[in-house]
Amino acid sequence: MVVTQEEALQLLLQIKKGADIKDHVSSNVAAHLSNCKKCNGKLVVQAWKGDVGGNLRGNLYCLYCRTPAMQPILFMEKQELKEVRHMVHACGPISASFKSLKEVGERRPIVREDYYNTSDFLTPKEVLSGLDLSAELEKRIEEKRPTGGQKGVEHALLNEYKRGDYLTCNLQLKPEPSAQAKLLGDLRESQADMEWWADAMEARINDIYQSTLLLIGKADQGTGFHVDWTEAKNIAFACNQADLPKVLAVWIFLHPSIAMKALAWLRINGYPNGFETIGKVHLSEQEVQALDEHLGVDEHGRQYLVRLEQRHGQLVEIPPGWIHQVTNLVECLKMAWDVYELAHVPDYVASWHHISSQVTCSNSEDYMSCRLLIHSALSHSCRASHVGDLSDAEPS
């Protein structure tokens, strides 16, 4: 079991407040690949020391088997460790307190109505024919499912979609994509210069497609309640000409400050595990109305539960910390991508601390490389404080 991002961040804060970094960070790859001493579960990135000092191999425990007295430890590559040592000791002060959820929720979800004006509808078959599905092929090979190569995967996805599956895959174009796939690629690339990897953080991640997802579904399909790693954008397209003027999907958002109240309501209204089965809690319209009445309004008279409608070509902007679900009213295709903005890093941190760790209990793969973002933001802070670029210096 991987330690949560919130715990990893707390560790960095502890180091900044005076703890010796060598007691918390190791580049011992052999130890990194070992198993929990108690349950024998495989340790991944973060772990916990069994005792202070000594050889780490055979002396590590997972999140569930640790005791409060055990000392947390992060595994990093040597170059990364060298950079982090400098960042932690040289950059300006880091606040040991998190933003409140009320502060995080000041940025509210919105729909940009005139984001992309087009009368072209997109069909699943035409879009899929222009995608490189090698990642989906590898996934199916790992799962020992029939493939038949690129064409076989394309046909399998379409057949599963026709049988009622909600289709999701990454937006990775072929060298010569179909016209509809190219439209999506061009639209996605038009956003790249406004996003986090264009900033001075130099986070060493520049593939916009690794965080871009296509979601294709019919009426009444969608995604259950979840919270994004950072913040996200989502644009919708009709799949049929008759649906171009219609509402394609309805979004339900929960203000970060009432996440715990919503969790308690779920547990006494038929969802005993709350949000923990990530993406599986999908409320009906009747349940949404009941939850809305329960949550009420803030001091300004605004509902804590926000409902937005999304039409063809409209973009929904999802701020950090807002748990949300999406329901299609008609068949449609959406393109969604996560983004970073340097000014919003405190919001992401607070969302990990208050929401991901305590409400949704999400411990999914760090596909947005959040740990690397923290290090890069620290490095940016060093340079902004005129400390200088320390990446080539030796650690003290």
Side-chain angles (χ1 to χ4, degrees), residues 155-211:
H155 291 158
L157 287 172
L158 286 171
N159 288 334
E160 290 163 7
Y161 178 64
K162 291 175 182 177
R163 291 197 300 266
D165 288 2
Y166 191 57
L167 196 159
T168 62
C169 61
N170 285 99
L171 178 71
Q172 186 65 58
L173 304 184
K174 289 179 178 177
E176 296 184 4
S178 62
Q180 292 188 2
K182 186 177 185 302
L183 181 151
L184 292 172
D186 290 345
L187 178 61
R188 181 67 188 91
E189 289 182 1
S190 71
Q191 299 293 303
D193 61 351
M194 294 182 281
E195 293 169 6
W196 66 282
W197 44 78
D199 204 285
M201 295 195 303
E202 299 172 2
R204 301 194 298 265
I205 299 174
N206 54 18
D207 182 3
I208 63 173
Y209 298 112
Q210 80 170 24
S211 59

Side-chain angles (χ1 to χ4, degrees), residues 32-248:
H32 174 199
L33 299 176
S34 63
N35 290 22
C36 172
K37 187 175 181 180
K38 184 174 181 181
C39 72
N40 203 40
K42 181 67 69 176
L43 298 169
V44 188
V45 179
Q46 291 94 18
W48 299 83
K49 283 185 182 179
D51 300 304
V52 176
N55 190 348
L56 294 177
R57 175 178 276 281
N59 198 28
L60 293 169
Y61 294 77
C62 69
L63 176 64
Y64 289 126
C65 296
R66 64 168 173 151
T67 64
M70 289 182 182
Q71 189 171 341
I73 186 167
L74 296 174
F75 291 101
M76 300 179 184
E77 296 179 358
K78 288 185 177 180
Q79 179 61 29
E80 187 180 12
L81 172 58
K82 183 172 74 171
E83 292 177 1
V84 171
R85 279 173 142 174
H86 279 296
M87 295 174 200
V88 167
H89 290 297
C91 73
I94 303 173
S95 173
S97 62
F98 294 94
K99 290 182 71 171
S100 71
L101 290 179
K102 182 178 180 181
E103 292 175 304
V104 173
E106 289 176 357
R107 293 179 56 222
R108 299 173 72 84
I110 60 172
V111 175
R112 296 199 177 276
E113 297 183 358
D114 299 322
Y115 182 77
Y116 188 72
N117 293 316
T118 176
S119 59
D120 296 327
F121 60 93
L122 305 183
T123 62
K125 183 176 181 179
E126 176 72 12
V127 170
L128 284 179
S129 70
L131 299 183
D132 178 351
L133 297 173
S134 55
E136 181 66 26
L137 175 63
E138 291 177 9
K139 177 183 174 183
R140 286 172 175 263
I141 291 173
E142 287 179 8
E143 296 173 354
K144 298 181 179 178
R145 298 162 67 186
T147 57
Q150 162 88 15
K151 276 292 182 184
V153 171
E154 184 182 324
H155 291 158
L157 287 172
L158 286 171
N159 288 334
E160 290 163 7
Y161 178 64
K162 291 175 182 177
R163 291 197 300 266
D165 288 2
Y166 191 57
L167 196 159
T168 62
C169 61
N170 285 99
L171 178 71
Q172 186 65 58
L173 304 184
K174 289 179 178 177
E176 296 184 4
S178 62
Q180 292 188 2
K182 186 177 185 302
L183 181 151
L184 292 172
D186 290 345
L187 178 61
R188 181 67 188 91
E189 289 182 1
S190 71
Q191 299 293 303
D193 61 351
M194 294 182 281
E195 293 169 6
W196 66 282
W197 44 78
D199 204 285
M201 295 195 303
E202 299 172 2
R204 301 194 298 265
I205 299 174
N206 54 18
D207 182 3
I208 63 173
Y209 298 112
Q210 80 170 24
S211 59
T212 304
L213 196 66
L214 292 184
L215 306 101
I216 310 173
K218 297 185 174 70
D220 297 323
Q221 292 184 321
T223 52
F225 276 113
H226 64 284
V227 67
D228 296 312
W229 273 102
T230 53
E231 56 189 291
K233 298 183 180 183
N234 182 299
I235 185 170
F237 298 90
C239 292
N240 300 284
Q241 185 155 6
D243 295 329
L244 287 172
K246 296 180 182 179
V247 174
L248 302 183

Side-chain angles (χ1 to χ4, degrees), residues 310-330:
Q310 185 180 27
R311 288 179 164 81
H312 178 75
Q314 292 183 345
L315 181 84
V316 175
E317 294 189 351
I318 305 107
W322 286 78
I323 302 172
H324 55 281
Q325 74 168 32
V326 190
T327 306
N328 292 344
L329 300 188
V330 298

Side-chain angles (χ1 to χ4, degrees), residues 16-36:
K16 179 58 188 174
K17 289 190 290 184
D20 192 338
I21 194 169
K22 67 181 175 59
D23 290 334
H24 295 278
V25 184
S26 172
S27 58
N28 186 337
V29 178
H32 174 199
L33 299 176
S34 63
N35 290 22
C36 172

